[in-house]
């Protein structure tokens, strides 16, 4: 089975479509796992939800999804994120908000634990340090785990002190070593590379392949500006920060 793994799409349909095209060029897409924050920041939340729902899929609840559905407050959001959440809430219909409210926080599929933030705090914790990763891995009952939320592609093996940045085309084999990995963000990368990040899990070949995909950033930026969202959210897409 070929499973496309995306995280932090953030309503950026241009980036999401480019990832799906790139993944489909490598073979049939059997499933899409989305690790949360499908909406928020970008200009096409409803279309991104509809596109994901065309596939057999998993979608986890991210902080931006829950904020847009009115499920959590905006106190912990910065101004840009709060403005975007209010705008997104005004765009989503009742069915989409109900779908978000029903999303799981943690899912186990194919021996892989999926969560947006971490197992200590599924919605909010940023898994950015080795100590945070160790705490997460101590709670992970499967050999492999996937998180999103940081917008930074990385893999951390249990017992290894290093958080390894994932570069373009990197393969991570499903072997004896336990790990937690982050595919990076489709719709708003923050590692200095503006290209959309994602991964494919091939369950027969027993490996993840992490990739980056060029997309029409100018189109995504123009839609953000046209929607009346904060222009900063358009600017940062070109910088990948
Ligand atoms: Zn995010």
């Amino acid at each position: 089975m070929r499973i496309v793994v995306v995280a932090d799409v953030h309503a950026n349909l241009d980036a999401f479509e480019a990832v799906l095209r790139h993944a489909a060029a490598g073979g049939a897409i059997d499933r899409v796992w989305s690790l949360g924050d499908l909406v928020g920041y970008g200009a096409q939340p409803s279309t991104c939800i509809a596109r994901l729902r065309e596939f057999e899929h998993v979608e986890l609840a991210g902080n931006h999804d829950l904020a847009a559905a009115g499920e959590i407050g905006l106190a912990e959001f910065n101004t840009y994120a709060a403005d975007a959440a209010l705008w997104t809430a005004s765009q989503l219909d009742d069915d989409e908000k109900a779908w978000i409210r029903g999303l799981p926080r943690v899912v186990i599929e194919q021996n892989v634990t999926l969560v947006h933030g971490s197992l200590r705090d599924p919605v909010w914790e940023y898994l950015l340090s080795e100590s945070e990763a160790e705490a997460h891995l101590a709670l992970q009952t499967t050999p492999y785990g996937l998180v999103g939320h940081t917008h930074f592609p990385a893999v951390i093996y249990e017992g290894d002190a290093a958080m390894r940045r994932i570069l373009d085309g990197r393969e991570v084999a499903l072997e004896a070593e336990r790990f937690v990995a982050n595919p990076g963000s489709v719709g708003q990368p923050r590692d200095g590379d503006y290209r959309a990040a994602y991964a494919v899990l091939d369950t027969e070949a027993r490996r993840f392949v992490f990739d980056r995909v060029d997309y029409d950033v100018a189109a995504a930026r123009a839609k953000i500006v046209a929607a009346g969202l904060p222009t900063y959210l358009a600017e940062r897409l070109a910088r990948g920060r």
Side-chain angles (χ1 to χ4, degrees):
M1 193 178 334
R2 280 182 89 245
I3 300 163
V4 172
V5 183
V6 298
D8 298 283
V9 171
H10 281 294
N12 184 340
L13 185 69
D14 296 284
F16 194 19
E17 291 290 4
V19 159
L20 292 171
R21 267 197 307 278
H22 188 266
I29 298 172
D30 297 305
R31 287 187 191 169
V32 179
W33 291 350
S34 169
L35 306 176
D37 284 1
L38 185 57
V39 304
Y41 291 138
Q44 294 181 280
S46 295
T47 328
C48 285
I49 290 173
R51 193 72 175 100
L52 177 68
R53 291 170 83 177
E54 288 172 14
F55 294 89
E56 204 174 317
H57 68 273
V58 168
E59 166 67 0
L60 297 166
N63 50 314
H64 288 264
D65 305 312
L66 295 172
E71 191 74 356
I72 59 174
L74 299 176
E76 301 204 41
F77 282 74
N78 66 38
T79 322
Y80 305 111
D83 285 353
L86 292 171
W87 181 87
T88 305
S90 76
Q91 304 295 307
L92 298 181
D93 65 24
D94 290 344
D95 168 66
E96 290 161 338
K97 289 180 184 174
W99 179 74
I100 288 172
R101 282 193 290 270
L103 293 176
R105 306 292 208 268
V106 180
V107 168
I108 293 177
E109 293 268 329
Q110 308 276 341
N111 240 1
V112 185
T113 300
L114 314 175
V115 60
H116 181 62
S118 78
L119 288 172
R120 282 201 301 202
D121 185 343
V123 172
W124 279 110
E125 185 178 28
Y126 291 90
L127 221 159
L128 284 166
S129 73
E130 283 77 27
S131 63
E132 286 154 351
E134 287 301 324
H136 169 96
L137 283 162
L139 297 170
Q140 186 177 293
T141 57
T142 59
Y144 318 111
L146 290 168
V147 298
H149 197 40
T150 67
H151 300 211
F152 195 94
V155 59
I156 308 100
Y157 291 96
E158 191 169 52
D160 177 0
M163 173 170 284
R164 297 165 194 284
R165 181 173 174 186
I166 290 177
L167 300 172
D168 217 11
R170 167 86 185 267
E171 292 187 12
V172 174
L174 305 186
E175 290 170 348
E177 283 178 301
R178 284 160 47 82
F179 65 78
V180 56
N182 187 321
S185 169
V186 169
Q188 196 196 78
R190 292 178 190 163
D191 62 342
D193 182 344
Y194 73 91
R195 296 175 303 160
Y198 84 109
V200 170
L201 168 60
D202 185 326
T203 59
E204 275 84 57
R206 295 188 53 75
R207 63 158 187 251
F208 286 98
V209 177
F210 294 81
D211 250 312
R212 301 302 282 254
V213 183
D214 210 343
Y215 76 97
D216 192 346
V217 183
R221 295 179 62 183
K223 288 172 193 170
I224 287 172
V225 173
L229 283 157
T231 52
Y232 167 72
L233 297 175
E235 286 160 18
R236 69 183 305 177
L237 290 186
R239 289 182 281 117
R241 294 277 182 204

PDB file of all heavy atoms in Angstrom, residues 8 10 37 64 116 149 151, ligand 1:
ATOM      1  N   ASP A   8       0.040  19.835   8.176  1.00  0.00           N
ATOM      2  CA  ASP A   8       0.019  21.299   8.106  1.00  0.00           C
ATOM      3  C   ASP A   8      -0.167  21.810   6.675  1.00  0.00           C
ATOM      4  O   ASP A   8       0.626  22.607   6.180  1.00  0.00           O
ATOM      5  CB  ASP A   8       1.289  21.862   8.768  1.00  0.00           C
ATOM      6  CG  ASP A   8       1.338  21.485  10.242  1.00  0.00           C
ATOM      7  OD1 ASP A   8       0.619  22.115  11.031  1.00  0.00           O
ATOM      8  OD2 ASP A   8       2.041  20.515  10.602  1.00  0.00           O
ATOM      9  N   HIS A  10      -2.654  23.666   5.875  1.00  0.00           N
ATOM     10  CA  HIS A  10      -2.993  25.067   6.138  1.00  0.00           C
ATOM     11  C   HIS A  10      -3.702  25.757   4.976  1.00  0.00           C
ATOM     12  O   HIS A  10      -3.355  26.886   4.599  1.00  0.00           O
ATOM     13  CB  HIS A  10      -1.745  25.854   6.570  1.00  0.00           C
ATOM     14  CG  HIS A  10      -1.378  25.619   8.007  1.00  0.00           C
ATOM     15  ND1 HIS A  10      -2.185  26.035   9.044  1.00  0.00           N
ATOM     16  CD2 HIS A  10      -0.336  24.985   8.577  1.00  0.00           C
ATOM     17  CE1 HIS A  10      -1.628  25.678  10.203  1.00  0.00           C
ATOM     18  NE2 HIS A  10      -0.508  25.020   9.951  1.00  0.00           N
ATOM     19  N   ASP A  37      -4.040  20.384  11.147  1.00  0.00           N
ATOM     20  CA  ASP A  37      -3.903  21.719  10.572  1.00  0.00           C
ATOM     21  C   ASP A  37      -4.074  21.690   9.055  1.00  0.00           C
ATOM     22  O   ASP A  37      -3.272  22.228   8.297  1.00  0.00           O
ATOM     23  CB  ASP A  37      -2.578  22.396  10.979  1.00  0.00           C
ATOM     24  CG  ASP A  37      -2.613  22.911  12.409  1.00  0.00           C
ATOM     25  OD1 ASP A  37      -3.657  22.728  13.083  1.00  0.00           O
ATOM     26  OD2 ASP A  37      -1.611  23.506  12.864  1.00  0.00           O
ATOM     27  N   HIS A  64      -5.149  24.566  14.726  1.00  0.00           N
ATOM     28  CA  HIS A  64      -5.807  25.520  13.822  1.00  0.00           C
ATOM     29  C   HIS A  64      -7.167  25.013  13.336  1.00  0.00           C
ATOM     30  O   HIS A  64      -8.090  25.815  13.139  1.00  0.00           O
ATOM     31  CB  HIS A  64      -4.902  25.827  12.623  1.00  0.00           C
ATOM     32  CG  HIS A  64      -3.735  26.677  12.981  1.00  0.00           C
ATOM     33  ND1 HIS A  64      -3.729  28.045  12.817  1.00  0.00           N
ATOM     34  CD2 HIS A  64      -2.547  26.359  13.539  1.00  0.00           C
ATOM     35  CE1 HIS A  64      -2.576  28.540  13.238  1.00  0.00           C
ATOM     36  NE2 HIS A  64      -1.830  27.525  13.678  1.00  0.00           N
ATOM     37  N   HIS A 116      -0.960  15.081  15.954  1.00  0.00           N
ATOM     38  CA  HIS A 116      -0.537  16.387  15.437  1.00  0.00           C
ATOM     39  C   HIS A 116       0.679  16.925  16.191  1.00  0.00           C
ATOM     40  O   HIS A 116       1.699  17.253  15.602  1.00  0.00           O
ATOM     41  CB  HIS A 116      -1.704  17.381  15.534  1.00  0.00           C
ATOM     42  CG  HIS A 116      -1.374  18.752  14.997  1.00  0.00           C
ATOM     43  ND1 HIS A 116      -1.029  18.970  13.682  1.00  0.00           N
ATOM     44  CD2 HIS A 116      -1.311  19.980  15.601  1.00  0.00           C
ATOM     45  CE1 HIS A 116      -0.777  20.259  13.494  1.00  0.00           C
ATOM     46  NE2 HIS A 116      -0.935  20.895  14.636  1.00  0.00           N
ATOM     47  N   HIS A 149       2.843  19.790  13.133  1.00  0.00           N
ATOM     48  CA  HIS A 149       2.788  20.932  14.048  1.00  0.00           C
ATOM     49  C   HIS A 149       4.015  21.857  14.011  1.00  0.00           C
ATOM     50  O   HIS A 149       3.864  23.062  14.082  1.00  0.00           O
ATOM     51  CB  HIS A 149       2.549  20.434  15.475  1.00  0.00           C
ATOM     52  CG  HIS A 149       2.083  21.471  16.453  1.00  0.00           C
ATOM     53  ND1 HIS A 149       1.176  22.451  16.150  1.00  0.00           N
ATOM     54  CD2 HIS A 149       2.399  21.657  17.765  1.00  0.00           C
ATOM     55  CE1 HIS A 149       0.952  23.199  17.228  1.00  0.00           C
ATOM     56  NE2 HIS A 149       1.695  22.732  18.213  1.00  0.00           N
ATOM     57  N   HIS A 151       6.199  22.151  11.492  1.00  0.00           N
ATOM     58  CA  HIS A 151       6.486  22.572  10.109  1.00  0.00           C
ATOM     59  C   HIS A 151       7.968  22.365   9.765  1.00  0.00           C
ATOM     60  O   HIS A 151       8.520  23.102   8.950  1.00  0.00           O
ATOM     61  CB  HIS A 151       6.109  24.037   9.863  1.00  0.00           C
ATOM     62  CG  HIS A 151       4.657  24.341  10.079  1.00  0.00           C
ATOM     63  ND1 HIS A 151       3.991  25.328   9.367  1.00  0.00           N
ATOM     64  CD2 HIS A 151       3.732  23.820  10.924  1.00  0.00           C
ATOM     65  CE1 HIS A 151       2.722  25.382   9.771  1.00  0.00           C
ATOM     66  NE2 HIS A 151       2.551  24.487  10.723  1.00  0.00           N
TER      67      HIS A 151
HETATM   68 ZN1  LIG B   1       0.526  24.086  11.606  1.00  0.00          ZN
END
